[in-house]
Amino acid sequence: MALLIAATARGQQFAAHAREVAPDLDVRVAPDLGNPAEIDTALVWLPPRGLLASLPNLKLIVSVGAGVDAILADPTLPNVPLTRFVDPDLTGRMAEYITLQVLTHHRRMTEYRMLQTERTWKYIPEAAAHEVRVGIMGLGVLGSASAKALRALGYQVRAWSRSPKQQEGVVSFAGDDQLDAFLAETDILAVILPLTDDTRGLLNRALFRKLSLTGRTPLLPGPVLINAGRGGLQLDSDILAALDAGELYAASLDVFQTEPLPAGSPFWSHPRVVVTPHNAAESAPAAIARYAIRQMRRLNEGQALENVVDRGRGY
Ligand code: NDP
Ligand code: OXD
């Protein structure tokens, strides 16, 4: 019985923490598989295609990420349970990121940064939080925690998900039929959706044009896009065109169609775009290792696994 860790740069860190939590466990780090037949659990982030299929006695795959699109994209993926990472460490970091980006644009920080470089002392009138409508796409584990954090600051919060939700202080919209109504009441769109066949390319110019059509908050210059879900949700060129056309006032992007973001991308130098390197919620390696060991123990003790991915839904 061995745990294989295939997680690019942080693999050795996960392994060190796993060995601390379970000193007797045989922990291996790809590409040093040893005898593949001895591996029953794999902890993975962007595993090379075919790697998991090469493990004949694999019983469990644990995703380092909450998002599993890259794992599900492997056509050779073995048919064993796949659990995704859900943990207060990750959830807290995402709620911080979404709150930080909402505040950044609501409080016009990209403009103040520019004024600072010019040594210009200028006051920009700003809306109050209770006048700003934040629309969260994806009210799952991360969207729901972000909604709670934003409510605590007084923002009006709406959310869009596949199924209707009941969360205190959050107006719920669900399904394709209610998407336009949700967008029309949204000034700042915060996206924390998984990437699936249904969500790929959803963040395009046609969608941006539907934002904030009813009763726009006067002191916000235009709609804002925050994407911390996956780059495949968005069309980078449409975001740039919408910014240029004034259909979007600003954007915070943590994820991109191509990662790392190429040096030549116009996003890097756009005055009202905040770029972060897919680290909205980069979890602590210790938390990830603990989680993987817990799932492995649950499997071996015949207990139900946590956060099992529904492959049919794609998340
Ligand atoms: P959850 O599975 O808990 O939530 C997903 C939410 O998206 C649910 O509310 C779900 O609706 C909704 N959803 C899915 N498909 C659709 C659809 N077609 N239409 C409308 N709503 C839809 O996931 P998490 O909150 O844990 O994570 C969300 C995503 O965040 C991950 O998949 C990952 O891509 C991304 N992520 C990014 C990170 C970063 O650092 N940038 C870090 C961690 C995650 P319903 O509730 O009805 O099922
Ligand atoms: C995740 C991520 O899915 O970090 O957890 O993107």
Side-chain angles (χ1 to χ4, degrees):
M1 190 176 83
L3 169 68
L4 173 70
I5 300 178
T8 55
R10 296 199 296 165
Q12 293 294 353
Q13 288 180 48
F14 297 148
H17 289 289
R19 289 183 185 115
E20 248 177 66
V21 179
D24 297 333
L25 183 65
D26 180 354
V27 179
R28 304 175 187 180
V29 180
D32 298 324
L33 266 53
N35 178 358
E38 290 164 1
I39 295 167
D40 65 353
T41 303
L43 171 64
V44 297
W45 175 251
L46 305 179
R49 286 197 178 187
L51 172 72
L52 295 166
S54 74
L55 309 174
N57 294 315
L58 189 68
K59 295 192 182 64
L60 170 65
I61 304 166
V62 182
S63 168
V64 166
V68 291
D69 46 289
I71 298 173
L72 294 179
D74 182 348
T76 68
L77 188 68
N79 191 19
V80 301
L82 164 64
T83 77
R84 66 190 195 92
F85 186 54
V86 174
D87 189 89
D89 183 87
L90 170 69
T91 306
R93 288 169 198 255
M94 183 59 88
E96 288 165 11
Y97 177 87
I98 297 294
T99 307
L100 174 67
Q101 302 311 324
V102 167
L103 282 165
T104 293
H105 298 297
H106 157 218
R107 299 301 303 264
R108 316 280 289 264
M109 283 310 296
T110 56
E111 288 169 83
Y112 282 118
R113 288 298 300 173
M114 193 60 81
L115 290 168
Q116 185 174 339
T117 60
E118 296 162 1
R119 297 168 184 264
T120 301
W121 182 276
K122 182 183 159 197
Y123 168 71
I124 304 172
E126 295 159 17
H130 68 82
E131 295 171 314
V132 178
R133 302 167 304 175
V134 182
I136 299 180
M137 286 183 119
L139 196 68
V141 175
L142 304 179
S144 157
S146 304
K148 197 171 166 199
L150 291 166
R151 279 297 302 147
L153 290 174
Y155 289 102
Q156 297 179 44
V157 180
R158 286 118 174 78
W160 181 72
S161 45
R162 245 170 42 138
S163 50
K165 305 283 172 202
Q166 284 200 324
Q167 178 169 341
E168 196 184 339
V170 179
V171 183
S172 163
F173 295 80
D176 293 345
D177 292 350
Q178 295 184 3
L179 179 57
D180 286 4
F182 161 78
L183 296 170
E185 292 184 6
T186 290
D187 300 313
I188 299 183
L189 183 67
V191 183
I192 327 173
L193 284 169
L195 179 62
T196 66
D197 290 345
D198 292 332
T199 61
R200 187 177 301 280
L202 189 62
L203 304 177
N204 55 45
R205 198 151 173 202
L207 180 141
F208 304 143
R209 286 183 172 142
K210 293 177 183 167
L211 283 167
S212 197
L213 291 179
T214 58
R216 177 177 295 182
T217 303
L219 292 177
L220 269 185
V224 173
L225 169 68
I226 299 167
N227 185 9
R230 281 289 181 269
L233 298 168
Q234 76 196 23
L235 300 185
D236 291 3
S237 55
D238 279 21
I239 297 173
L240 287 161
L243 285 163
D244 286 350
E247 292 156 7
L248 286 176
Y249 153 65
S252 287
L253 304 172
D254 185 56
V255 288
F256 300 89
Q257 284 180 275
T258 304
E259 294 179 13
L261 183 63
S265 168
F267 285 135
W268 286 114
S269 54
H270 197 291
R272 288 188 316 285
V273 175
V274 175
V275 170
T276 48
H278 196 144
N279 75 332
E282 177 89 341
S283 291
I288 292 169
R290 264 198 315 271
Y291 181 82
I293 303 285
R294 190 166 83 228
Q295 300 315 314
M296 208 175 167
R297 287 185 176 147
R298 292 180 79 93
L299 178 81
N300 291 326
E301 289 164 9
Q303 293 181 47
L305 295 165
E306 296 166 313
N307 310 303
V308 176
V309 172
D310 178 336
R311 293 194 188 196
R313 283 189 326 188
Y315 66 99

